[in-house]
């Protein structure tokens, strides 16, 4: 049974705060285990990677092979059915078109004091992309990672993905061929993230690691931030749906379950202004759960982390929705833009009854790698900028340094840094 809350109940404020504060993703055990895995890979390199792969993915890398070969990706695309190839190509084209608009523009100009000022964007040299693959295969996440890296102009792109039992999903290989990625390592989990960050004999280190994953992957990225750059912490999927009684309860049930089926620690939450509709959605979820091939995971997630919250009206709902800062937010109402105006924190917002979150997972165009665990308060979805950095530059001539140099000298002296002051003052003559 999911949690059921009503804003008119006397204990609502406490119960909702508990829901917001629940540490669903990475508990202390995950954090401690990840620290140990990172240390082991840093010291043990490839041997540690092989051990963890045997333990968690149940295959011997020295038998199944460490890397995917270009011949394997070519063959996977060649033997893919036409409808699936068309679907991957449509997704790739739409994701590319969306991300090409994110390319940043350099600046270079002279200000009123005669100082030349600007900024130049450049891609990182090497990016490591995590494509999840423990419970499900994620060719869509491959496209969502590789395409912005390519648009940014990254020279070396290294992908890691777990291959449980040594089996790799052919659609992932076909997507790799479409996206044009050649360096693919058959390792996953925190150990793969560690290998990308520290490097091993086989895997050269990267500058930035991006991509989504389960609690161990997300925590590994979080702990390694600083050794490498990361996009954000993108852990187990989440959805908040705001829906009125004009919706078909079965559609809303399917939307909620679309994220519950990712992971037992995923979270799906419904806000509605109608208690009878809340009951209908809960019944529809039960009905659908019985038919899902993924019901074990979806049921565990819905029971442990699902919630239905009945509000007086949607004005009351929106501040609560903002506190959750969910990865995905669906606004299934007549005038979604009116509610969207009061959205402050969400990874991606799906406007209107005909915009299910799942269309964004695959083919709409915006990136589906999004911040989880309330991190949409300060992080954004994966973009071309995550693979780039900005270098500022400045140039002064004699007149320009005379215009602004004396202020620098004054500030340097006030800070008690005489070498700084001299460095400027000498040029003022
Ligand atoms: N936020 C996003 O943008 C986004 C996008 C897509 C998917 N996701 C999430 O990605 C995740 C995919 O998870 P997955 O499990 O299918 O694949 P995964 O590749 O993320 O994780 C599989 C790996 O987890 C490691 N692992 C499993 N159990 C472990 C344990 N007990 N201790 C240490 N390591 C362990 C193993 O090394 C295994 O290879 C889901 O949570 C899904 O919701 C998030
Ligand atoms: N919903 C996931 C992001 O949380 C992305 C995804 C990929 N495939 C299916 N769904
Ligand atoms: Zn999804």
């Amino acid at each position: 049974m999911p949690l059921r809350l009503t804003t008119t109940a006397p204990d609502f404020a406490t119960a909702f705060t508990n829901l917001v504060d629940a540490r669903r993703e990475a508990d202390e055990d995950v954090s401690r285990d990840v620290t140990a895995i990172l240390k082991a890979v840093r010291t043990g390199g490839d041997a540690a990677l092989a051990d963890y792969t045997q333990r968690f993915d149940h295959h011997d890398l020295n038998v199944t092979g460490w890397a995917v070969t270009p011949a394997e990706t070519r063959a996977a695309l060649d033997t893919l059915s036409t409808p699936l190839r068309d679907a991957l190509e449509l997704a790739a084209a739409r994701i590319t078109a969306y991300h090409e608009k994110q390319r940043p523009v350099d600046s270079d100009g002279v200000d009123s004091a005669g100082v030349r000022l600007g900024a130049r964007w450049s891609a990182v040299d090497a990016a490591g992309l995590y494509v999840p693959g423990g419970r499900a295969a994620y060719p869509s996440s491959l496209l969502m990672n590789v395409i912005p890296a390519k648009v940014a102009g990254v020279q070396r792109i290294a992908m890691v993905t777990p291959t449980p039992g040594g089996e790799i999903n052919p659609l992932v290989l076909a997507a790799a061929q479409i996206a044009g990625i050649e360096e693919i390592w058959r390792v996953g989990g925190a150990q793969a993230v560690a290998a990308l960050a520290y490097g091993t004999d086989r895997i050269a280190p990267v500058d930035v690691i991006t991509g989504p994953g389960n609690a161990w992957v997300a925590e590994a990225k979080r702990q390694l931030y600083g050794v490498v750059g990361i996009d954000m912490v993108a852990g187990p999927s989440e959805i908040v749906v705001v829906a009125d009684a004009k919706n078909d309860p079965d559609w809303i049930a399917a939307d909620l379950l679309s994220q519950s089926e990712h992971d037992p620690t995923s979270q799906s939450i419904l806000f509605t202004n109608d208690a009878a509709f809340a009951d209908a959605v809960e019944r529809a979820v039960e009905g659908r759960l019985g038919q899902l091939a993924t019901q074990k995971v979806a049921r565990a997630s819905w029971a442990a982390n699902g919630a239905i919250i009945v509000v007086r009206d949607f004005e009351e709902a929106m501040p609560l929705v903002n506190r959750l800062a969910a990865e995905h937010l669906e606004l299934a109402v007549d005038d979604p833009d009116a509610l969207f105006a009061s959205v402050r924190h969400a990874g991606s917002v799906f406007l209107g009854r005909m915009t299910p979150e799942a269309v964004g997972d695959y083919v709409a165009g915006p990136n589906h790698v999004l911040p989880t665990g309330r991190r949409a308060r300060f992080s954004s979805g994966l973009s071309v900028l995550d693979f780039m950095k900005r270098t500022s530059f400045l140039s002064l001539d004699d007149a320009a340094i005379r215009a602004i140099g004396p202020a620098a000298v004054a500030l340097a002296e006030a800070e008690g840094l005489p070498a700084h002051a001299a460095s400027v003052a000498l040029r003022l003559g």
Side-chain angles (χ1 to χ4, degrees):
M1 291 280 279
L3 179 70
R4 180 74 173 253
L5 301 178
T6 307
T7 51
T8 51
D11 63 344
F12 175 76
T14 309
F16 187 74
T17 297
N18 290 341
L19 178 69
V20 171
D21 292 347
R23 292 210 70 209
R24 169 179 65 76
E25 290 188 322
D27 58 17
E28 278 165 20
D29 289 351
V30 169
S31 199
R32 188 199 55 217
D33 291 353
V34 165
T35 304
I37 293 170
L38 302 188
K39 190 169 170 205
V41 173
R42 188 176 192 177
T43 51
D46 289 330
L49 266 186
D51 284 351
Y52 283 121
T53 301
Q54 183 67 259
R55 187 184 321 171
F56 295 121
D57 297 337
H58 315 292
H59 67 104
D60 181 349
L61 281 165
N62 295 315
V63 175
T64 45
W66 285 74
V68 169
T69 64
E72 284 176 274
T73 59
R74 261 197 315 274
L77 186 61
D78 287 346
T79 52
L80 193 64
S81 73
T82 306
L84 273 178
R85 184 179 181 141
D86 290 348
L88 276 180
E89 281 174 349
L90 175 81
R94 293 187 60 85
I95 297 165
T96 304
Y98 185 86
H99 288 81
E100 268 176 354
K101 295 198 185 105
Q102 294 176 336
R103 255 199 215 104
V105 182
D106 292 348
S107 67
D108 189 352
V110 178
D111 72 9
S112 57
V115 181
R116 183 179 167 208
L117 299 171
R120 193 176 64 194
W121 288 88
S122 52
V124 299
D125 289 341
L129 315 184
Y130 191 91
V131 173
R135 296 172 187 280
Y138 285 92
S140 54
S141 299
L142 185 151
L143 298 181
M144 294 286 179
N145 267 298
V146 178
I147 290 170
K150 290 253 172 189
V151 171
V154 178
Q155 280 180 6
R156 175 179 162 239
I157 301 178
M159 176 185 133
V160 292
T161 193
T163 59
E167 298 290 319
I168 184 156
N169 183 288
L171 204 54
V172 170
L173 296 180
Q177 183 67 22
I178 286 175
I181 175 162
E182 290 183 352
E183 185 181 341
I184 304 175
W185 299 97
R186 298 162 59 119
V187 289
Q191 59 276 16
V193 181
L196 288 171
Y198 296 129
T200 68
D201 285 345
R202 282 191 166 83
I203 304 177
V206 301
D207 302 305
V208 152
I209 300 176
T210 67
N214 64 13
W216 290 276
V217 172
E219 175 63 11
K221 281 172 63 189
R222 196 189 67 78
Q223 289 191 22
L224 285 165
Y225 175 65
V227 176
V228 284
I230 64 166
D231 47 354
M232 89 221 67
V233 179
S237 305
E238 311 161 347
I239 188 168
V240 165
V241 180
V242 176
D244 59 24
K246 287 194 206 165
N247 288 282
D248 183 332
D250 200 38
W251 290 18
I252 300 301
D255 297 357
L256 293 165
L257 288 174
S258 76
Q259 299 309 288
S260 307
E261 74 177 349
H262 275 293
D263 195 303
T265 58
S266 287
Q267 182 163 58
S268 302
I269 298 178
L270 169 67
F271 283 84
T272 183
N273 55 352
D274 187 303
F277 181 73
D279 294 341
V281 172
E282 195 169 343
R283 280 194 303 274
V285 167
E286 269 313 311
R288 290 206 148 260
L289 269 172
Q291 299 157 24
L292 281 182
T294 50
Q295 73 161 291
K296 194 162 171 239
V297 171
R299 197 179 282 286
S301 154
W302 180 239
N305 309 309
I308 296 180
I309 301 172
V310 179
V311 292
R312 291 185 192 87
D313 53 42
F314 291 135
E315 261 174 44
E316 184 181 40
M318 295 318 287
L320 303 173
V321 166
N322 282 324
R323 278 179 67 192
L324 288 164
E327 181 193 10
H328 306 110
L329 171 60
E330 269 187 29
L331 301 175
V333 293
D334 279 341
D335 184 5
D337 280 301
L339 292 187
F340 186 35
S342 52
V343 172
R344 294 187 40 75
H345 311 297
S348 193
V349 184
F350 300 76
L351 303 171
R353 304 185 205 284
M354 297 307 286
T355 318
E357 187 280 339
V359 81
D361 280 349
Y362 296 107
V363 291
N367 211 289
H368 82 201
V369 181
L370 294 163
T372 56
R374 301 187 61 233
R375 297 184 182 91
R377 289 171 298 139
F378 53 81
S379 294
S380 315
L382 181 61
S383 85
V384 170
L385 296 191
D386 291 302
F387 297 98
M388 302 188 81
K389 65 259 168 18
R390 194 181 56 237
T391 305
S392 57
F393 61 86
L394 43 153
S395 174
L396 285 73
D397 59 12
D398 194 54
I401 201 161
R402 280 180 194 291
I404 63 170
V409 173
L411 289 172
E413 283 169 351
E415 282 190 352
L417 296 172
H420 287 65
S423 159
V424 179
L426 286 171
R427 289 170 169 83
L428 295 174

